[in-house]
Structure formats: structure tokens, C-alpha cells
Amino acid sequence: MKCKLCKREKTEKELCLFHKRAYEKIVEVYAEWVDALNINWEDYLSEIEKNSLTGKWAKEVIEFVKESRVNL
Amino acid sequence: MQNVTLIITEKPEAAKRIALALDFDGAPKNKTEKGITYYLIKREVPIIVVPALGHLYTVTNQKKEKYNYPVFNFNWAPRDIVERKTYRIRYCIDIISKLSKKAEIFIDACDYDIEGSIIGYTILKYACKNKEEIAHRMKYSTLAKEEIIRAYNEVSPHLDFSIIEAGLTRHEVDWLYGINLSRALTIIAKKHSNHYTTLSTGRVQGPTLNFLETREINRKIFVPTPYWQIKAKVKIGKALFEAEYKKGIIKKNRVLKNIITNCAGKNCVIERIEKAKRHLTSPFPFYLGSLQREAYKLFKITPAQTAKIAQRLYLEALISYPRTSSQKLPVSIGYRTIIKKLQKNPEYEKLTAELLSKRFLKPNEGPKNDSAHPAIFPTGNTTDRSLKITEKKTLDLIIKRFLAVFSDDAIIQETAISISINNNLFAIKGTRTAEKGWTRFYQPYFKFKNNVLPTVINNQKVRLIKLIPEKKFTRPPFRFNPSSLLKKMEKENIGTKATRSGIVQTLEKRKYICGEKIIVSELGFEVSEILREYCPSIVSIDLTRKLEERMEKIKEGKEKREKVIKDTIELLMKTTKILKTKEKIIGARLNNAVKKTLNNRIEVGYCSSCKNGKLVILRSKKTGKRFVGCTNYFEGVCKTAYPLPQKGVIKPNVQSCKSCGCPTIKVSIRGKRIWNLCLDPKCSSKFKGKKNEMQIV
Ligand SMILES: [Zn+2]
């Protein structure tokens, strides 16, 4: 089975190893955003989505999480 | 002739220098055969000096099993048998063989390091027919006359066999890794796609690509975090200053808001004035790595170029041997003599005079050591040739660094004024050079900005103009550039000082990486991933590090070459076995990545023959020449191709040719006018006006 975001083989659930790592990073950094701004998950995703410093794979994951509303 | 001494050097330029230095009249006779010049020297005994052209022998596959892996049978053979277009190597071997028959005494005068030792050893063993046991070794660090004569008079009675043993091991191990893994990748990719791409990896290439890939991954998954900085704009006397919040960055928005509320409308008082003197000790002398980094930082000369430039300067006896990892300058190099020689150049007259007036000269040496060579230093010699601009810059840098090394500390006066606003502390920092010390010797390469603060007293009130809060984000890790990658390789102890910059070039050539700020291509990603998945030990730094340790042990006579080779073969047997069983899946992945990377090539327009292919710039596997081809070629559909100029930078134009409708390109060669060119060599535009030029609409 392929990753939902790229053609790589997926590991578990929906994503390949790289996109999974991007997802984990998003979750990990959310704690820091809560600490800094007391922000909710949806707003956080919008903020990092429009931030030019966010990496390519992280952005692809954000879009995917928002669209599918799948809880990974 | 009787009792002839044959001196073998690594390069033609070194042969010439040695011949000039050793000949009693300073005018040796020379003979040129098939483009190779050697020298006949008048001295107590007749001497012939003959050059090599770097490595004349290389490791190769014993039975030419070309399209197969694994391969474990190897031997050393003349390079002209193994590589294409190396006929000069053949001439060189022939001439050395011929001259060796007349000689009774043999001296290896190749560069005194591992590579030089291997070059000398293989020539003595193979071209001179087993003379390695009786040969002597000349060891020198510069090609200056006095040093050459000293090295000749103090010639070592025999070769350094432990260094040679370690060097042979390195070459053989690297060959085994390179050939087996590169062949495996190339063969697998070829089996599963309809075109041929050379893929490669190796003991050093693998881990290096792995660093780059890891960095790229960390950039791609990066998520920034917000933080804040706050400054207080204050007026002291008539001048405005921005004082920084003393506690540094603020991670919580709530904290920032508190600070702003706390400071609003409150008094602003100078709480403390701190002064300190900071000593900046003079820099260490250059070794190859630090010279490469400095040249990149200051002049944007790539590490590979710097290595070449330094090698040329060395061959002209302007600097000492550059492939060193030492930060030491022993007294024996003659500090004063060198500085006196440099004094003859008006540019260094004043600075050198100052150093010469010192009673003692002591260099500020660094911790790194190299048993074969000292740090890089200028010889003080001059050349009649007018140096290229990059050579001039590099030489000036080396000379000034050498002078700075002997100079005193620079002293910086630092002042910090703390300002309290309702117990929130802000600070203004000032710096002033109290003693310029060595920095005067290192101009314009050391820049220091003075920031002088006004005179203030404790409890003095100042005016707060406003608070400036600033929202910022953490940044993704930087991409490596050629210089920072070299530093990383050096830190991880992979590769050698002589080979590191070449590895980066190979990765570029294989299209694994591109750009000044290094980006890993789709292909680079996939190769690195495949290696990590199926042969993790190959890309781990651990393997290479252990091997370096064993190589050191061989040098000390505590480890056997045969054992290291045997272990390497065992590991590669296991690895290639795994690769064989996974060929299909690896092949599909490589094929995909190759295609993607090919699609990222520079497009110059659409193909007018097949109508749906794209014309892209390619390079011929056979000749290495670039040309334009249709992407449908890879599908076996279209064979359209156009030749390209081989020099200059090519950029596609938007407009096509008004005469024939074919895509056009812009060609720019440094120092020449940029011109537009229609791809079709038969286009009528070529025959109007100047050759090969055309007008676009
Ligand atoms: Zn994916």
C-alpha cells in the first residue's frame, strides 16, 4: 500500500515513514504553541500552514489532516 | 652510465623544482619523450629526476567481470588499462621503466603522505620491477631549494612500509565498497528501467549523503515555534539606543504582556555599568580544512578549488605542502628567514619589520598534529608568473595568517550598561578595540565593528522612548554548503583531507545533490534510503570510524592488512546477498527516482518532432559532452537531439527562433558577450551575419 500523500510505501496506518515523522513533529511542536499562545489545534494548524518556515512534508500533512479530518 | 640515481616525483612541476635545486649549476639538462619531461642532473653522482602523473597504478578487478556483482578478486594494475583516455599514463610508465634499467639507486620523492607513499611504492614495485625494498625516501615540506637539498642530503634509507601498508588497505577497502555497492545499484537500476544511469556509493560517499539527507528530512518536517524578543528604545544625551531584554528570548506571550504592562509609564534608570577586557588570542596557523573554510567564507572559493590552488602554489614553492592536518609550526622551518624574505615585498614590509623587531618569535599553535607535515606556511619565495586573482588572494591569506600567528593578542574593551524599568532589566552593549594586536596583520580578513557608548553614571535617569516587542519563529536547520559539509566530515572523521572535497563533487556528478546550498535530489534521497534500509552498516559513521582506527593500527604495526580486507569482504558478501534478494523492489524505487530527477532537468522547450516530448539538457554517457535531447527518448519513441556549445552557462529563452521555430537558448561565457542561439544547427539564422549567432523576435 502506498502513502496517501506520496508514492512511497506506507509503514502503518495511512502514511509513509517521512510523512508520519512530519505528523509526529506537528504534534510535538503543538505543545510548545499551547505554552506560548494557548492556542487550539485547528488554529494552530492554520498558523503553521501559512508560515513560510514550515517544511514541505509538514505542510502536506496539515492539508491531509484538515481535509480528511482523520485522526492519525 | 654507472651508479645512476633515479629520483621519482609525484608531479612534473615537482620534478622540475627538484632538478633545479639539486643541479650544481642550477641548469639541469632535460629530455622530453612523448610529452614527458625528465631531467639529467650534475652532482657528485649522476641523477635522473623523472615525474609521475599522480597515481599511475590503481586497484582493479582481476577477471574483467563487468556486469556482475559481487566482485572480490582484485590486483593493482596500470591506470591506462583500467581507465579511458589515460594514454599519457602509459607513456609515463614506459619512460620510468626504461630509465629504471640504467639506475642503481632509487629515491622516492613523491609527496610525503599516504597518497604520495602509494604512488612511489607502486611505481618502484611495478614500473621499476621490485625496487621498493632497496629504494630510499626523500621527505620535504616545501619545494624551496634549501629544503630540497636538505631532504636529499638526509634521505631516509628505506620507504615507510607501515604508511604504505595502511594506504594500500585504504585503497583496496574503498575499491571493494565502491565497486560492489555502485555496481549493485547500477545493475539493479538498469535491469528495472529502459535506460542506463551510473549510480554509485562508497565507504565515504554513503555516510556523507546520509548527513545531507538527514538534514533535508529535518527541513522538510520542520514546524516553527513562536517566541518573542523585546527591546527598549532609550535616549541617553542626544543619542538613541536600543537596549535588549537581559533575560533573552521570551517563550510565552503571557510573559511578554506582563513585561509591557510592568514597564508602562515607569522610570528608566541606569542600574549598573560593567566593564571588562577580553583577550582575542591570535589565530592558529592553517591546515587544509581551515584554509578551505576561510577561503570559502572570505572569497567564496569552493573547498575543491582551494585545494587545487594551494597545490599549485606549493608546486611553485610559494607555500609549504597544503594537504596537512597540522596546526604546528616547528622552529626548523626558520621563522625569521621566511619573514625576511616576505619583507622584500613592499606589501608586507611594515608588518614583517614589526615582527622582526621582536626578540622572540613564538607561533600560536593549535592542538592538531600531523606526523608528516607542519601547518601551511609561506616560503617567502616569489614567482615570475603573474598569479591568477584567486591564487593571489589565497597566497595573501596564507601569508597574512602566518604573520598574525606570531603576533600579540588583540584586546577588546567591553562595556555593558544595565537599565532598569520597574525592575525589568535591559542592557546596551558596547565594544571598543583597546589593542589591535594580531588583527592588524590580518587585514582585511578580520573585521571588527566598534560600538562606542556614551559616558553615564549609576542611577542616572534616561528617557524611555518606547518598548519594541517582536514576534519571531524558530528557523529550520541550515542547508549544508560545501564548506560546512567539509567541516562536518572532518568532525565525524570520515574521508581524508585529500579526498573530502572530491566526494562532494562526485555526489553532484551523480545528480544526488545540487546547488551552492546543498539540496538532495529525489535520486539522492532514494539511494540514501535504500542503503539505510538494506545495508545500514554501510551508511553508518561507525563503520568508517572503526576502519580509520584499524588503519591507524596498521600504521603502528598492530593490525594486519589481510585481516581488514577479509572482514570487509565478509561484510560485503552479506550485504550484496541482501541486495540480490530485493532487486525487484529496489529496482522499482530507483527507476522512479531516476525518472523524477531526470524530469527536473533544465527544459529548453517542446520537441517539434514528436510534439509531446520536452527538450532537456543532457550529458552523453560516452563522451561526457552536453546536448539537448527529447524526454521521449527514454520511452523509446523520439530520437531528436541537438548539439550544444560545451563552454559557458546555458539558459533557455522564452521566445523561439523566428527563422525556424525551434527553441532558443542564451549562452554566457565569462568575459564574452552573451549570445542567443537557435538549437537547430541547420537553421538559416546561422548563415546570416556572424557564425552561430541569431536574432530572436
Ligand atoms: Zn508519504
Side-chain angles (χ1 to χ4, degrees), chain B residues 177-243:
Chain B
Y177 275 107
I179 196 92
N180 280 295
L181 300 173
S182 302
R183 265 194 192 181
L185 291 177
T186 306
I187 290 168
I188 295 172
K190 186 171 162 37
K191 269 189 198 169
H192 294 86
S193 70
N194 41 12
H195 51 89
Y196 178 86
T197 316
T198 306
L199 297 175
S200 72
T201 186
R203 190 177 62 84
V204 182
Q205 243 189 79
T208 308
L209 184 60
N210 193 27
F211 295 150
L212 292 164
E213 192 220 4
T214 309
R215 180 60 56 94
E216 193 77 43
I217 292 173
N218 286 332
R219 285 177 58 87
K220 283 187 162 148
I221 65 168
F222 182 77
V223 180
T225 310
Y227 66 90
W228 292 265
Q229 280 179 329
I230 186 163
K231 287 178 188 163
K233 195 169 191 176
V234 294
K235 197 171 187 181
I236 305 176
K238 280 176 187 166
L240 290 171
F241 294 91
E242 283 187 358

Side-chain angles (χ1 to χ4, degrees), chain B residues 1 35 105 179 217 233 297 300 326 377 385 403 421 435 517 550 619 629 658 681:
Chain B
M1 276 197 280
I105 298 164
I179 196 92
I217 292 173
K233 195 169 191 176
K297 192 177 102 191
K300 281 279 170 284
S326 167
F377 63 89
R385 179 173 77 91
L403 298 178
I421 312 172
E435 295 284 346
K517 288 186 175 155
R550 292 182 79 179
R619 234 170 234 287
K658 77 170 178 186

